[in-house]
Amino acid sequence: MRLGFLLIPATCLMYITLLAPPNCMYAQGISSSTATAATEETPDAPRPQFEVAAVESAQQQNPATESSSLPPAQQPAAAPQSQREKAKEQMKEQEQQRVLGIVPSFNTSYRSDAVSLTAGQKMSLAFRSSIDPFTFAAAFLVAGYHEVEDDDTGFGWGIEGYGKRSGAAYLDAIDGTMIGNGILPSILHQDPRYFRMGHGTTTHRLLYALATNVICKHDNTGKWEPNYSNVLGNIASGGISNLYYPSSNSGVGQTFTNGMIVTAEGGLGSIFQEFWPDISRKFLHRDPTHGLDAEARAADKAEKESRNSEK
């Protein structure tokens, strides 16, 4: 199945095209310099009237110079951060998240105040996950497992068969990620990330993690709704896989079966993401949330105490 190899660069090129930003024109601000930045004059020398007037005029045109000399209490308040800027900062935090420093955890948010991502940010985050070195390594491992288990016999054996299995496994990963975490969430205005609870009873957190594979947050309302993006994305990627898998592993029935299996497997991944920080703190003495879990537990405790005091 050489088609699997040809689809890899074609698929990557398609997603890179989707990520390409439009050409924009940016206005350039005109900066003005004042005469006060010139060489200092002698203290006793009188200053010409026209020079004083020029300095005063420059200060009126550049109030930032005057305000910078004010004490901190009198400084003007900074402009509030836009939602896009805040989402960009939170994305940078997520892109640093790795389990044991190896496995990417880019699509998990530890923040309770996480803001919605733009369509471009969703696509960027999905593409970042798709091209991560671990994704390639995982494809090689999956291919080796299937060859040992004598699966996908239509691919053949040896180096050629292993290469085809590796290409198919990587295409499965990139299609599922880009469609389920990028394209469909952008169209349906759904947030593709897993929002970790991080506090509460173990049973509650376990059920929550499983539920997030079939429910998600809407971008505009922030309310929970059916996770069409994840389920349909898994089915769609299974349908695309019919193009490069042997005919014995394809078909409509197989597509929907594989889609449901992948969705169920996602539940195991959500459970791991939910409890991994607890495991890391206990055994590795490292907090992947950088104190966010402690803040959530403190807020939860304060809320319970407040309710008990009102009774």
Side-chain angles (χ1 to χ4, degrees), residues 1 121 124 305:
M1 295 294 295
Q121 289 170 338
S124 177
E305 292 176 351

Side-chain angles (χ1 to χ4, degrees), residues 267-289:
L268 299 178
S270 298
I271 292 174
F272 180 78
Q273 294 292 352
E274 177 64 34
F275 292 98
W276 162 246
D278 303 270
I279 297 172
S280 178
R281 283 192 294 267
K282 184 173 183 179
F283 296 102
L284 304 179
H285 306 292
R286 295 179 181 177
D287 183 11
T289 71

Side-chain angles (χ1 to χ4, degrees), residues 138-153 155-157 161-162 164-166 168-169 172 245 249 265:
F140 287 116
L141 291 175
V142 170
Y145 170 79
H146 285 301
E147 186 151 357
V148 170
E149 291 294 315
D150 197 21
D151 295 332
D152 308 322
T153 55
F155 282 141
W157 304 104
Y162 179 71
K164 291 177 179 179
R165 288 181 176 84
S166 300
D172 288 346
Y245 270 95
N249 290 0
E265 290 174 346

Side-chain angles (χ1 to χ4, degrees), residues 11-284:
T11 304
C12 293
L13 180 61
M14 178 187 70
Y15 292 134
I16 292 174
T17 304
L18 289 173
L19 286 170
N23 294 328
C24 302
M25 297 296 294
Y26 297 94
Q28 297 180 353
I30 302 175
S31 61
S32 59
S33 60
T34 63
T36 55
T39 56
E40 295 183 356
E41 301 179 14
T42 56
D44 296 333
R47 304 181 67 182
Q49 290 296 327
F50 70 87
E51 186 176 335
V52 174
V55 172
E56 291 178 351
S57 174
Q59 289 180 347
Q60 290 176 358
Q61 294 178 4
N62 191 7
T65 304
E66 183 178 356
S67 62
S68 63
S69 62
L70 295 174
Q74 300 180 18
Q75 288 284 352
Q81 231 181 4
S82 68
Q83 179 171 330
R84 184 186 183 92
E85 293 172 343
K86 191 173 183 180
K88 186 177 180 179
E89 289 186 0
Q90 293 176 356
M91 268 186 58
K92 288 181 179 179
E93 292 179 357
Q94 292 173 209
E95 290 175 348
Q96 303 300 319
Q97 297 171 176
R98 290 182 182 272
V99 175
L100 295 175
I102 301 174
V103 184
S105 184
F106 305 152
N107 222 47
T108 300
S109 176
Y110 297 142
R111 290 186 167 275
S112 59
D113 62 342
V115 297
S116 300
L117 304 176
T118 65
Q121 289 170 338
K122 293 174 185 177
M123 292 293 296
S124 177
L125 191 62
F127 188 72
R128 175 70 180 82
S129 300
S130 299
I131 63 173
D132 189 80
F134 181 83
T135 305
F136 289 97
F140 287 116
L141 291 175
V142 170
Y145 170 79
H146 285 301
E147 186 151 357
V148 170
E149 291 294 315
D150 197 21
D151 295 332
D152 308 322
T153 55
F155 282 141
W157 304 104
I159 298 299
E160 183 179 359
Y162 179 71
K164 291 177 179 179
R165 288 181 176 84
S166 300
Y170 178 69
L171 282 174
D172 288 346
I174 190 174
D175 288 338
T177 301
M178 293 303 301
I179 297 174
N181 292 346
I183 297 174
L184 288 180
S186 300
I187 296 173
L188 301 177
H189 302 287
Q190 294 186 325
D191 201 311
R193 294 171 294 179
Y194 173 69
F195 295 95
R196 185 171 167 277
M197 180 174 287
H199 62 98
T201 64
T202 301
T203 302
H204 188 194
R205 293 172 64 186
L206 184 65
L207 294 175
Y208 167 82
L210 290 172
T212 54
N213 287 278
V214 292
I215 60 173
C216 65
K217 287 185 177 182
H218 191 273
D219 287 337
N220 299 330
T221 64
K223 296 181 179 179
W224 294 97
E225 64 181 18
N227 196 345
Y228 301 113
S229 300
N230 184 43
V231 177
L232 294 179
N234 291 333
I235 295 175
S237 62
I240 295 174
S241 70
N242 291 332
L243 298 174
Y244 49 84
Y245 270 95
S247 58
S248 59
N249 290 0
S250 60
V252 176
Q254 190 72 18
T255 296
F256 279 90
T257 300
N258 290 341
M260 293 300 102
I261 291 175
V262 172
T263 301
E265 290 174 346
L268 299 178
S270 298
I271 292 174
F272 180 78
Q273 294 292 352
E274 177 64 34
F275 292 98
W276 162 246
D278 303 270
I279 297 172
S280 178
R281 283 192 294 267
K282 184 173 183 179
F283 296 102
L284 304 179

